[in-house]
Amino acid sequence: MDIPRIDAERGVDDAVTASIVEALDAAGCCVVEHAAQIDDMDAIATELGEHIDRSSIGASDFEGHRTRRLGAPLPRSATFRSLALHPAVMSAGDHVLGHATSWRFSAAEYIEIGPGESAQRLHRDRWKYDRVEFGFEVELNGMWAVTDFTEANGATRLVPGSHRLPADHRVSPDETVPAEMSAGSLLLYTGSLYHGGGPNQTDEWRKGLSLQHAVGWLTQSTNQFLECPPSEVAAWPDDLLRFVGYAKTGNGLGYWRDSEDPLSAVHPDRDFPRGWAIVRPD
Ligand SMILES: O=C(O)CCC(=O)C(=O)O
Ligand SMILES: [Fe+2]
């Protein structure tokens, strides 16, 4: 099976949304071409490049010995903040994770695969949750191509359709296909889809911004309240703050102190209703 490709050059309208939904159901993944401007990708590379000295390299076989990984792109990149709620991400998340009371941002990581890096072990991202077999999707993840992704430079390799495989089924590297895409494209895939970073046989760095989102009742991959503390995010829009985790979810999760709305920690001068119960209709 190929990776479905959808062109969003003219925006994410109903037809594009329908194609994304269909692709995620059938293949567990898709590439949304022209989802952002190349200028935005260049700006992300510049904004995050200022912090690249802090990136980890060679932390483990899984993370890659020739791969630089930089965290916390939300506080570090205003351009990424402007793309975090991209309509293609929102449509995909609403479809895949809409069974939960809410879903939200879980983490993002700027990943530069360096020359000579070998293929990452194939995995399902949702294995981070102790390999629990939920029987439904709990994550909707993705990757912004900050530079062009080619088979040679380490484009993420996926096994389309593998989101439906039973837990005891193993996939092999020859079943994978590379998510080749030009800068500004967005790869989307579910937490159950087998994939891994590709080997880089070129002398250039493959730069991508990897995205994770999960249902609101699961722990986020990185601690958003440490990365985006109330004292530093007062100028961010409410919808972004809700997405980052300043929101109640489930039935009685995420409130703080005296049944207070977590957003009141960012905006103590504003009034928010109290109470932790979110009762869904039966
Ligand atoms: O860098 C990539 O292409 C994929 C990375 C990945 O899948 C991961 O680290 O979980
Ligand atoms: Fe992954």
Side-chain angles (χ1 to χ4, degrees), residues 62 69 111 120-126 128 141 143 156 189 193-197 210 212:
F62 188 76
R69 289 169 181 263
I111 305 180
Q120 187 186 33
R121 189 164 53 87
L122 297 173
H123 60 278
R124 289 175 150 160
D125 281 348
R126 71 165 163 79
K128 65 170 69 74
N141 296 345
M143 176 76 82
T156 313
Y189 60 93
L193 191 87
Y194 279 95
H195 68 282
S210 144
Q212 299 173 33

Side-chain angles (χ1 to χ4, degrees), residues 6 8-21 24 30 32-37 40 80-96 103 140 144 186 188 211 213 239 243:
I6 298 146
E9 179 131 45
R10 283 176 294 159
V12 180
D13 57 14
D14 289 350
V16 168
T17 299
S19 302
I20 292 172
V21 162
L24 290 171
C30 63
V32 183
E33 297 178 302
H34 305 110
Q37 305 294 323
D40 288 334
F80 176 49
R81 288 202 290 282
S82 74
L83 289 174
L85 300 162
H86 190 284
V89 172
M90 302 318 285
S91 308
D94 284 346
H95 180 65
V96 174
W103 61 278
L140 181 277
W144 282 106
L186 173 66
L188 295 168
L211 308 174
H213 313 91
D239 55 356
F243 196 50

Side-chain angles (χ1 to χ4, degrees), residues 14 38 48 63 90 94 103 125 135 180-181 198 233 252 267 274 279:
D14 289 350
I38 293 187
L48 297 180
E63 288 159 275
M90 302 318 285
D94 284 346
W103 61 278
D125 281 348
E180 293 199 298
M181 52 184 178
V233 298
H267 295 297
R274 297 266 193 121
V279 182

Side-chain angles (χ1 to χ4, degrees), residues 2 26 31 38 47 61 69 73 76 88 99 111 128 131-132 149 187 191-192 215 217 252 262:
D2 287 335
V31 167
I38 293 187
E47 290 159 357
D61 285 349
R69 289 169 181 263
R76 289 169 167 167
H99 56 81
I111 305 180
K128 65 170 69 74
R131 298 207 183 202
V132 173
F149 275 37
L187 166 68
S192 297
V215 294
W217 44 265

Side-chain angles (χ1 to χ4, degrees), residues 32-130:
V32 183
E33 297 178 302
H34 305 110
Q37 305 294 323
I38 293 187
D39 285 354
D40 288 334
M41 297 295 114
D42 290 345
I44 286 175
T46 303
E47 290 159 357
L48 297 180
E50 287 170 18
H51 304 271
I52 207 72
D53 288 351
R54 287 192 55 82
S55 62
S56 63
I57 189 156
S60 67
D61 285 349
F62 188 76
E63 288 159 275
H65 294 284
R66 297 194 168 96
T67 296
R68 292 199 289 237
R69 289 169 181 263
L70 183 80
L74 273 178
R76 289 169 167 167
S77 168
T79 308
F80 176 49
R81 288 202 290 282
S82 74
L83 289 174
L85 300 162
H86 190 284
V89 172
M90 302 318 285
S91 308
D94 284 346
H95 180 65
V96 174
L97 307 178
H99 56 81
T101 310
S102 67
W103 61 278
R104 60 187 175 175
F105 185 80
S106 170
E109 190 175 43
Y110 185 50
I111 305 180
E112 295 187 340
I113 297 188
E117 182 61 277
S118 49
Q120 187 186 33
R121 189 164 53 87
L122 297 173
H123 60 278
R124 289 175 150 160
D125 281 348
R126 71 165 163 79
W127 284 349
K128 65 170 69 74
Y129 294 112
D130 283 352

Side-chain angles (χ1 to χ4, degrees), residues 27 122 157-163 171-172 175-177 193-195:
L122 297 173
R157 300 195 68 97
L158 318 170
V159 184
S162 60
H163 60 312
V171 294
S172 87
E175 294 172 71
T176 63
V177 287
L193 191 87
Y194 279 95
H195 68 282

